[in-house]
PDB file of all heavy atoms in Angstrom:
ATOM      1  N   ASP I  60       2.179 -18.428   1.640  1.00 84.00           N
ATOM      2  CA  ASP I  60       2.381 -19.610   2.486  1.00 84.00           C
ATOM      3  C   ASP I  60       3.307 -19.339   3.663  1.00 84.00           C
ATOM      4  O   ASP I  60       3.440 -20.169   4.560  1.00 84.00           O
ATOM      5  CB  ASP I  60       2.906 -20.779   1.654  1.00 84.00           C
ATOM      6  CG  ASP I  60       4.226 -20.454   0.962  1.00 84.00           C
ATOM      7  OD1 ASP I  60       4.605 -19.265   0.942  1.00 84.00           O
ATOM      8  OD2 ASP I  60       4.855 -21.391   0.437  1.00 84.00           O
ATOM      9  N   ARG I  61       3.962 -18.193   3.686  1.00 84.00           N
ATOM     10  CA  ARG I  61       4.859 -17.870   4.800  1.00 84.00           C
ATOM     11  C   ARG I  61       4.175 -17.050   5.890  1.00 84.00           C
ATOM     12  O   ARG I  61       4.796 -16.694   6.884  1.00 84.00           O
ATOM     13  CB  ARG I  61       6.098 -17.125   4.285  1.00 84.00           C
ATOM     14  CG  ARG I  61       7.023 -18.015   3.455  1.00 84.00           C
ATOM     15  CD  ARG I  61       8.370 -17.358   3.221  1.00 84.00           C
ATOM     16  NE  ARG I  61       8.255 -16.114   2.468  1.00 84.00           N
ATOM     17  CZ  ARG I  61       8.135 -16.049   1.134  1.00 84.00           C
ATOM     18  NH1 ARG I  61       8.106 -17.176   0.421  1.00 84.00           N
ATOM     19  NH2 ARG I  61       8.057 -14.893   0.517  1.00 84.00           N
ATOM     20  N   LEU I  62       2.906 -16.731   5.688  1.00 89.00           N
ATOM     21  CA  LEU I  62       2.179 -15.958   6.698  1.00 89.00           C
ATOM     22  C   LEU I  62       1.787 -16.869   7.862  1.00 89.00           C
ATOM     23  O   LEU I  62       1.238 -17.952   7.661  1.00 89.00           O
ATOM     24  CB  LEU I  62       0.915 -15.334   6.103  1.00 89.00           C
ATOM     25  CG  LEU I  62       1.095 -14.237   5.045  1.00 89.00           C
ATOM     26  CD1 LEU I  62      -0.254 -13.851   4.468  1.00 89.00           C
ATOM     27  CD2 LEU I  62       1.798 -13.015   5.636  1.00 89.00           C
ATOM     28  N   SER I  63       2.046 -16.426   9.075  1.00 91.00           N
ATOM     29  CA  SER I  63       1.518 -17.129  10.250  1.00 91.00           C
ATOM     30  C   SER I  63       0.021 -16.849  10.341  1.00 91.00           C
ATOM     31  O   SER I  63      -0.512 -16.005   9.621  1.00 91.00           O
ATOM     32  CB  SER I  63       2.222 -16.631  11.518  1.00 91.00           C
ATOM     33  OG  SER I  63       1.840 -15.278  11.769  1.00 91.00           O
ATOM     34  N   LEU I  64      -0.663 -17.547  11.225  1.00 93.00           N
ATOM     35  CA  LEU I  64      -2.101 -17.309  11.369  1.00 93.00           C
ATOM     36  C   LEU I  64      -2.376 -15.876  11.800  1.00 93.00           C
ATOM     37  O   LEU I  64      -3.298 -15.228  11.293  1.00 93.00           O
ATOM     38  CB  LEU I  64      -2.703 -18.287  12.379  1.00 93.00           C
ATOM     39  CG  LEU I  64      -3.139 -19.646  11.813  1.00 93.00           C
ATOM     40  CD1 LEU I  64      -3.613 -20.554  12.946  1.00 93.00           C
ATOM     41  CD2 LEU I  64      -4.236 -19.478  10.770  1.00 93.00           C
ATOM     42  N   ASP I  65      -1.588 -15.372  12.739  1.00 92.00           N
ATOM     43  CA  ASP I  65      -1.796 -13.982  13.171  1.00 92.00           C
ATOM     44  C   ASP I  65      -1.540 -13.015  12.017  1.00 92.00           C
ATOM     45  O   ASP I  65      -2.285 -12.048  11.834  1.00 92.00           O
ATOM     46  CB  ASP I  65      -0.870 -13.645  14.348  1.00 92.00           C
ATOM     47  CG  ASP I  65      -1.329 -14.304  15.645  1.00 92.00           C
ATOM     48  OD1 ASP I  65      -2.543 -14.554  15.787  1.00 92.00           O
ATOM     49  OD2 ASP I  65      -0.468 -14.569  16.509  1.00 92.00           O
ATOM     50  N   GLU I  66      -0.487 -13.279  11.246  1.00 91.00           N
ATOM     51  CA  GLU I  66      -0.200 -12.408  10.098  1.00 91.00           C
ATOM     52  C   GLU I  66      -1.284 -12.527   9.034  1.00 91.00           C
ATOM     53  O   GLU I  66      -1.611 -11.545   8.357  1.00 91.00           O
ATOM     54  CB  GLU I  66       1.170 -12.771   9.508  1.00 91.00           C
ATOM     55  CG  GLU I  66       2.339 -12.351  10.385  1.00 91.00           C
ATOM     56  CD  GLU I  66       3.670 -12.893   9.856  1.00 91.00           C
ATOM     57  OE1 GLU I  66       3.666 -13.950   9.191  1.00 91.00           O
ATOM     58  OE2 GLU I  66       4.691 -12.252  10.123  1.00 91.00           O
ATOM     59  N   THR I  67      -1.842 -13.729   8.889  1.00 93.00           N
ATOM     60  CA  THR I  67      -2.933 -13.912   7.932  1.00 93.00           C
ATOM     61  C   THR I  67      -4.109 -13.017   8.285  1.00 93.00           C
ATOM     62  O   THR I  67      -4.698 -12.356   7.419  1.00 93.00           O
ATOM     63  CB  THR I  67      -3.381 -15.383   7.911  1.00 93.00           C
ATOM     64  OG1 THR I  67      -2.308 -16.188   7.405  1.00 93.00           O
ATOM     65  CG2 THR I  67      -4.610 -15.570   7.022  1.00 93.00           C
ATOM     66  N   LEU I  68      -4.469 -12.987   9.574  1.00 93.00           N
ATOM     67  CA  LEU I  68      -5.586 -12.144   9.999  1.00 93.00           C
ATOM     68  C   LEU I  68      -5.294 -10.674   9.720  1.00 93.00           C
ATOM     69  O   LEU I  68      -6.157  -9.937   9.236  1.00 93.00           O
ATOM     70  CB  LEU I  68      -5.871 -12.347  11.488  1.00 93.00           C
ATOM     71  CG  LEU I  68      -6.261 -13.767  11.934  1.00 93.00           C
ATOM     72  CD1 LEU I  68      -6.589 -13.787  13.418  1.00 93.00           C
ATOM     73  CD2 LEU I  68      -7.447 -14.282  11.145  1.00 93.00           C
ATOM     74  N   ASP I  69      -4.065 -10.255  10.004  1.00 93.00           N
ATOM     75  CA  ASP I  69      -3.690  -8.858   9.751  1.00 93.00           C
ATOM     76  C   ASP I  69      -3.679  -8.551   8.255  1.00 93.00           C
ATOM     77  O   ASP I  69      -4.105  -7.475   7.820  1.00 93.00           O
ATOM     78  CB  ASP I  69      -2.312  -8.553  10.352  1.00 93.00           C
ATOM     79  CG  ASP I  69      -2.352  -8.449  11.867  1.00 93.00           C
ATOM     80  OD1 ASP I  69      -3.440  -8.158  12.404  1.00 93.00           O
ATOM     81  OD2 ASP I  69      -1.309  -8.660  12.508  1.00 93.00           O
ATOM     82  N   PHE I  70      -3.180  -9.505   7.484  1.00 92.00           N
ATOM     83  CA  PHE I  70      -3.142  -9.316   6.035  1.00 92.00           C
ATOM     84  C   PHE I  70      -4.550  -9.144   5.466  1.00 92.00           C
ATOM     85  O   PHE I  70      -4.823  -8.240   4.670  1.00 92.00           O
ATOM     86  CB  PHE I  70      -2.458 -10.513   5.375  1.00 92.00           C
ATOM     87  CG  PHE I  70      -2.603 -10.532   3.879  1.00 92.00           C
ATOM     88  CD1 PHE I  70      -1.780  -9.759   3.081  1.00 92.00           C
ATOM     89  CD2 PHE I  70      -3.592 -11.292   3.269  1.00 92.00           C
ATOM     90  CE1 PHE I  70      -1.927  -9.754   1.702  1.00 92.00           C
ATOM     91  CE2 PHE I  70      -3.747 -11.284   1.898  1.00 92.00           C
ATOM     92  CZ  PHE I  70      -2.919 -10.523   1.111  1.00 92.00           C
ATOM     93  N   VAL I  71      -5.456 -10.016   5.871  1.00 93.00           N
ATOM     94  CA  VAL I  71      -6.835  -9.948   5.368  1.00 93.00           C
ATOM     95  C   VAL I  71      -7.463  -8.615   5.763  1.00 93.00           C
ATOM     96  O   VAL I  71      -8.142  -7.966   4.953  1.00 93.00           O
ATOM     97  CB  VAL I  71      -7.661 -11.132   5.898  1.00 93.00           C
ATOM     98  CG1 VAL I  71      -9.136 -10.967   5.524  1.00 93.00           C
ATOM     99  CG2 VAL I  71      -7.133 -12.444   5.319  1.00 93.00           C
ATOM    100  N   ARG I  72      -7.241  -8.187   6.997  1.00 92.00           N
ATOM    101  CA  ARG I  72      -7.792  -6.893   7.420  1.00 92.00           C
ATOM    102  C   ARG I  72      -7.223  -5.761   6.582  1.00 92.00           C
ATOM    103  O   ARG I  72      -7.937  -4.832   6.196  1.00 92.00           O
ATOM    104  CB  ARG I  72      -7.475  -6.639   8.893  1.00 92.00           C
ATOM    105  CG  ARG I  72      -8.362  -7.414   9.845  1.00 92.00           C
ATOM    106  CD  ARG I  72      -8.302  -6.841  11.249  1.00 92.00           C
ATOM    107  NE  ARG I  72      -6.952  -6.824  11.790  1.00 92.00           N
ATOM    108  CZ  ARG I  72      -6.377  -5.761  12.348  1.00 92.00           C
ATOM    109  NH1 ARG I  72      -7.014  -4.615  12.419  1.00 92.00           N
ATOM    110  NH2 ARG I  72      -5.152  -5.847  12.828  1.00 92.00           N
ATOM    111  N   GLY I  73      -5.934  -5.838   6.295  1.00 92.00           N
ATOM    112  CA  GLY I  73      -5.309  -4.784   5.499  1.00 92.00           C
ATOM    113  C   GLY I  73      -5.907  -4.671   4.113  1.00 92.00           C
ATOM    114  O   GLY I  73      -6.221  -3.576   3.633  1.00 92.00           O
TER     115      GLY I  73
END
Side-chain angles (χ1 to χ4, degrees):
D60 59 348
R61 291 193 298 279
L62 293 174
S63 68
L64 274 175
D65 286 332
E66 288 172 332
T67 295
L68 299 183
D69 287 336
F70 169 81
V71 173
R72 283 197 302 130

